């Protein structure tokens, strides 16, 4: 079975500071990994994905994530946070091949203070 | 904004009733997935339709059923509603997941279902 853990329910950061939202996963074989963002009363918006290749993945709005196979982690990062980054962030995993069913984490609320 | 639309935006039903939710996929997409997002939780996969056929199903009972139409729009039907069915229901469209390459999913804004 595959699973995703987002160990922090909430992350607080000051505007202009770097931010990290943590994600660890468990899956059989190689993973496909994703980050989505959800603003209030909205659907999820795709930020970035890791399929294969470089471990550092760059995505939308200045976000990036680093795939670490040995630590089974895929943490989301941004060098300088904006107040407008405040939202709910979801990490998701899917196994390569086989079932196409993705598993989402419970989400991390990011709050960026002015 | 994605090109995925859902209707209605909000819906209130009573226990035991039936409900149909609708999703219009983004132009050019042939795969639709449905998710249930309970309050404070991540989306839970219900099922996926690829070219009008169910292509995968999560851990949901048979009273959750769906359809995909030739224009790739989709419906989610839930019979015998229970209080725990109260949630945000999300539809996501993508292009040809079963080709073996993965294309990201584009989510609609969701339908908020409340069961009283």
């Amino acid at each position: 079975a595959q699973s995703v853990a987002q160990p922090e329910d909430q992350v607080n950061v000051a505007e202009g500071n770097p931010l990290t939202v943590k994600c660890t996963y468990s899956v059989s074989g190689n993973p496909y990994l994703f980050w989505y963002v959800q603003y209030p009363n909205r659907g999820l918006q795709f930020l970035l994905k890791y399929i294969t290749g470089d471990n550092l993945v760059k995505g939308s709005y200045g976000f990036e994530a680093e795939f670490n196979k040995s630590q089974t982690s895929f943490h989301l990062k941004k060098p300088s946070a904006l107040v407008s980054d405040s939202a709910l962030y979801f990490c998701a995993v899917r196994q390569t091949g086989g079932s196409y069913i993705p598993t989402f984490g419970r989400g991390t609320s990011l709050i960026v203070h002015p | 904004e994605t090109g995925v639309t859902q209707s209605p935006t909000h819906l209130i039903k009573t226990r035991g009733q039936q409900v149909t939710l609708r999703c219009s996929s983004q132009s050019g997409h042939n795969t639709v997935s449905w998710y249930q997002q309970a309050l404070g939780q991540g989306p839970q996969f219900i099922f996926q339709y690829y070219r009008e056929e169910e292509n995968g199903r999560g851990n949901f009972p048979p009273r959750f059923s769906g359809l995909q139409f030739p224009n790739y729009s989709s419906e989610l039907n839930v019979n015998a509603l229970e209080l725990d069915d109260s949630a945000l229901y999300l539809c996501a469209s993508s292009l040809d997941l079963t080709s073996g390459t993965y294309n990201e999913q584009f989510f609609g804004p969701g339908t908020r279902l409340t069961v009283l």
Side-chain angles (χ1 to χ4, degrees):
Chain A
Q2 60 193 31
S3 64
V4 173
Q6 293 183 241
E8 302 154 317
D9 289 337
Q10 184 170 300
V11 170
N12 291 278
V13 64
E15 187 174 31
N17 283 358
L19 69 88
T20 299
V21 183
K22 296 179 180 178
C23 170
T24 59
Y25 67 90
S26 173
V27 70
S28 298
N30 295 317
Y32 289 162
L33 292 156
F34 312 89
W35 276 101
Y36 290 85
V37 60
Q38 186 176 35
Y39 295 97
N41 302 313
R42 303 283 292 276
L44 276 68
Q45 294 180 32
F46 171 80
L47 281 178
L48 51 79
K49 66 183 177 186
Y50 171 83
I51 303 296
T52 186
D54 289 342
N55 290 341
L56 185 63
V57 178
K58 294 189 182 296
S60 306
Y61 312 119
F63 284 94
E64 58 188 29
E66 185 168 10
F67 171 62
N68 187 317
K69 188 172 183 177
S70 63
Q71 296 185 1
T72 61
S73 67
F74 190 57
H75 300 332
L76 181 70
K77 300 181 180 184
K78 187 174 182 181
S80 178
L82 299 172
V83 172
S84 58
D85 292 330
S86 299
L88 197 53
Y89 289 80
F90 291 96
C91 179
V93 69
R94 207 207 85 188
Q95 65 183 50
T96 57
S99 167
Y100 294 96
I101 297 175
T103 298
F104 283 77
R106 291 185 56 172
T108 298
S109 178
L110 173 67
I111 299 175
V112 181
H113 302 277
Chain B
E1 294 288 341
T2 70
V4 181
T5 60
Q6 292 186 244
S7 63
T9 305
H10 296 88
L11 201 52
I12 299 175
K13 292 286 188 177
T14 56
R15 197 169 43 182
Q17 285 189 310
Q18 178 267 342
V19 69
T20 297
L21 310 181
R22 295 178 174 82
C23 171
S24 178
S25 60
Q26 186 164 308
S27 177
H29 287 182
N30 57 8
T31 303
V32 173
S33 300
W34 285 93
Y35 295 85
Q36 180 194 68
Q37 186 179 14
L39 200 61
Q41 303 291 322
Q44 298 287 314
F45 177 82
I46 302 175
F47 43 56
Q48 179 186 96
Y49 280 84
Y50 168 69
R51 295 186 176 179
E52 303 178 59
E53 298 285 334
E54 188 177 292
N55 188 45
R57 189 178 182 91
N59 189 27
F60 280 81
R63 58 189 185 85
F64 285 78
S65 63
L67 284 173
Q68 187 180 31
F69 300 100
N71 66 355
Y72 303 130
S73 65
S74 178
E75 286 182 355
L76 164 65
N77 299 289
V78 187
N79 294 322
L81 284 167
E82 300 176 1
L83 297 180
D84 286 348
D85 295 334
S86 295
L88 181 67
Y89 287 84
L90 296 167
C91 163
S93 76
S94 54
L95 177 62
D96 200 13
L97 275 179
T98 58
S99 70
T101 60
Y102 185 83
N103 292 306
E104 59 268 24
Q105 297 182 320
F106 292 83
F107 284 79
T111 294
R112 174 73 63 185
L113 173 65
T114 302
V115 182
L116 302 176

